[in-house]
Amino acid sequence: MRPEDWLAVKEIYEQGIATRQATFETEAPPWEAWDAGHLAEPRLVAEENGTIVGWAALSPTSRRACYAGVVEESVYVAEGARGRGIGIALLAQLCSDADAAGIWTIQTSIFPENVASLELHRRCGFRVVGTRERIAQLDGAWRDTVLLERRA
């Protein structure tokens, strides 16, 4: 992923936000805020015929040095490209790149209703740690998330 990919990445992120099944966020941030909140590497995009159809990136979970190898991942696929293996290709590469970078734990929180994402993560070696009940509100409603992790 390069800075010039941001408009396409943002559009795909906004599609995920609109589902209300992918994130607690309600709008995509500007590039500068998104960039500051994510590790510089690895950041991936998937392209089909020169068009970006998905992306994946990592965020630190803590500023404490002891957690330097623990990250949270995000994977998003464009509406018209879902169900074609793009998500698994992105997540598998992201995990491989994270392993090579010395990251020892990748975690993510997924709404329990997002069955496709839960299955994607299971297929990439993530395990369920537990369910965080009523962890935060989205559109005024309390939501649960399933916490998953993958250990190197």
Side-chain angles (χ1 to χ4, degrees), residues 11-150:
E11 181 178 327
I12 293 167
Y13 190 28
E14 289 170 336
Q15 291 172 4
I17 290 169
T19 69
R20 295 303 199 250
Q21 297 301 320
T23 180
F24 282 104
E25 298 297 333
T26 57
E27 60 184 41
W31 163 252
E32 296 77 16
W34 187 93
D35 182 48
H38 291 81
L39 299 181
E41 294 292 330
R43 293 179 182 180
L44 306 173
V45 293
E47 292 185 4
E48 281 186 339
N49 303 317
T51 300
I52 294 174
V53 293
W55 64 271
L58 300 173
S59 304
T61 59
S62 175
R63 292 186 176 155
R64 295 178 61 193
C66 62
Y67 295 117
V70 182
V71 297
E72 183 172 356
E73 57 84 5
S74 298
V75 176
Y76 286 82
V77 176
E79 286 175 334
R82 294 179 189 151
R84 299 200 317 250
I86 294 165
I88 198 163
L90 281 166
L91 186 54
Q93 186 64 54
L94 188 70
C95 290
S96 177
D97 290 353
D99 289 349
I103 292 169
W104 59 83
T105 301
I106 303 173
Q107 65 184 35
T108 190
S109 293
I110 301 172
F111 293 124
E113 300 84 5
N114 194 340
V115 176
S117 187
L118 290 169
E119 176 61 14
L120 165 67
H121 285 81
R122 185 195 65 75
R123 289 177 60 195
C124 286
F126 284 73
R127 72 175 184 92
V128 172
V129 175
T131 299
R132 301 175 81 189
E133 297 176 357
R134 298 172 48 93
I135 190 69
Q137 291 188 23
L138 178 60
D139 299 328
W142 287 103
R143 299 287 300 269
D144 298 346
T145 59
V146 179
L147 179 63
L148 298 99
E149 72 174 13
R150 178 191 172 274

